[in-house]
Amino acid sequence: KENKQVRIPFQINSGGKDVLGVMHIPNRQNDIPVVIIMCYGLNGNRTEQHRMSVKLGEMCEVNSVNLVRFDYANVGVSEGDFFFSSISERVRNVIDIYNFVYGCFNREISVYLIGFSDGAKIAIQAQEHIGYFSGLICWNPIIKVPYISESMDRNPSGPVKLKIHQKYKKPYKPLFGVCLNTGLIKEIERDNSVSKLSNLGRTLFVFGEKDKYTKHIRAYFESRNLINTNIVIIEGAGHLFNSPAYERQVNESTIKWILEDSGQ
């Protein structure tokens, strides 16, 4: 029987702001439906570079996996201004998205979170509040880890002075074309995501071989025999995986791991 799919746009209220997204729903569901929720980093959005998330949704549809991709509050088509973004609000968004999805199925589901870049810390924090959490996938995760040696670069982007936002008249730090408010900077500095990894259960890490931003993170995980952890290296890829070919490898590795982990 043909496995037809539907894509349903949705809108929920999270913390007083409208959050918009899309659900990829295959017609053929597993006995326990498998659901992936995407957690992006910085100014990442529901489609991502080269429509990477859309293509992941297409793969999910033909493999009887549900995918939820959405814009955080203050990003993309969701309500708010990026200047007011915070990690705590994004974690709240993910939890509210999970509650919405669980309400759609109204039965046991198997939930996987994908954290892309510093979206990894969002996923790691959010999973503590997700009832049917099954596993975590981190794509080039930006999380604070103990340094392997004193010789490693502690701040590859270099020191940046705060500036005053022209519209809001408040200080911010410019980074890769976006404005990080001081509250967000403090949240990033307090990040303790790595301390929670040992309690996460099954985890997949996908690294771009040439990603300069995650070299020390990759070294940290490769130097430890972490239980229930798998590592995939995409040869030649950078932080955003650079090209549709690399992105396809990431998506395929992710789907394969989830299918195996969920027993499909």
Side-chain angles (χ1 to χ4, degrees):
K1 183 179 178 180
E2 183 181 0
N3 187 17
K4 296 181 180 179
Q5 308 88 26
V6 294
R7 299 177 189 179
I8 300 178
F10 65 85
Q11 175 178 318
I12 68 168
N13 188 274
S14 177
K17 295 178 182 178
D18 290 332
V19 171
L20 285 73
V22 176
M23 290 182 65
H24 292 249
I25 307 176
N27 182 57
R28 187 167 57 240
Q29 296 285 344
N30 296 300
D31 293 338
I32 299 178
V34 178
V35 180
I36 301 172
I37 300 177
M38 292 292 305
C39 304
Y40 305 100
L42 277 183
N43 61 336
N45 60 59
R46 68 197 183 284
T47 58
E48 273 304 330
Q49 190 179 33
H50 305 128
R51 299 179 66 80
M52 182 177 183
S53 295
V54 179
K55 295 171 185 176
L56 176 62
E58 294 170 351
M59 289 187 187
C60 287
E61 291 168 356
V62 299
N63 284 283
S64 299
V65 173
N66 304 273
L67 176 71
V68 182
R69 51 186 178 87
F70 69 99
D71 287 341
Y72 297 118
N74 305 308
V75 175
V77 296
S78 292
E79 185 179 359
D81 189 302
F82 182 85
F83 181 79
F84 298 102
S85 295
S86 70
I87 291 175
S88 55
E89 183 176 44
R90 293 183 173 201
V91 172
R92 178 75 262 169
N93 293 163
V94 175
I95 296 169
D96 288 340
I97 289 290
Y98 163 75
N99 289 332
F100 166 72
V101 172
Y102 174 68
C104 292
F105 287 94
N106 197 30
R107 62 189 176 108
E108 180 181 357
I109 55 180
S110 181
V111 178
Y112 293 84
L113 299 182
I114 296 179
F116 193 175
S117 187
D118 71 330
K121 63 173 66 76
I122 309 297
I124 290 171
Q125 293 185 38
Q127 61 81 29
E128 297 179 315
H129 306 276
I130 291 179
Y132 289 112
F133 177 72
S134 295
L136 172 72
I137 301 94
C138 294
W139 294 349
N140 277 334
I142 299 294
I143 54 179
K144 188 181 294 184
V145 298
Y147 285 89
I148 307 303
S149 72
E150 292 298 321
S151 63
M152 299 195 76
D153 188 357
R154 291 175 177 267
N155 188 5
S157 61
V160 179
K161 294 182 179 180
L162 294 179
K163 297 184 178 181
I164 300 298
H165 196 282
Q166 290 185 347
K167 179 178 180 180
Y168 300 111
K169 309 303 180 185
K170 294 182 179 181
Y172 74 93
K173 177 180 178 179
L175 181 66
F176 303 123
V178 299
C179 302
L180 306 186
N181 64 66
T182 54
L184 178 56
I185 294 171
K186 291 178 180 178
E187 287 183 312
I188 293 173
E189 292 174 346
R190 293 194 301 264
D191 176 35
N192 65 342
S193 301
V194 71
S195 66
K196 302 179 181 182
L197 288 174
S198 60
N199 298 321
L200 285 179
R202 294 272 292 167
T203 308
L204 171 68
F205 290 94
V206 182
F207 290 102
E209 177 203 11
K210 295 185 177 180
D211 178 19
K212 62 181 180 180
Y213 302 111
T214 58
K215 284 184 177 180
H216 65 289
I217 299 171
R218 175 179 163 186
Y220 176 82
F221 291 117
E222 289 180 340
S223 69
R224 286 156 173 78
N225 184 22
L226 297 178
I227 299 175
N228 296 328
T229 298
N230 296 273
I231 296 176
V232 172
I233 307 297
I234 306 299
E235 300 294 332
H239 188 64
L240 296 179
F241 299 109
N242 312 110
S243 74
Y246 294 143
E247 291 166 353
R248 182 174 182 82
Q249 290 181 57
V250 176
N251 284 344
E252 289 178 341
S253 298
T254 299
I255 290 293
K256 178 182 178 182
W257 184 82
I258 288 176
L259 293 176
E260 292 175 351
D261 187 69
S262 60
Q264 306 305 323

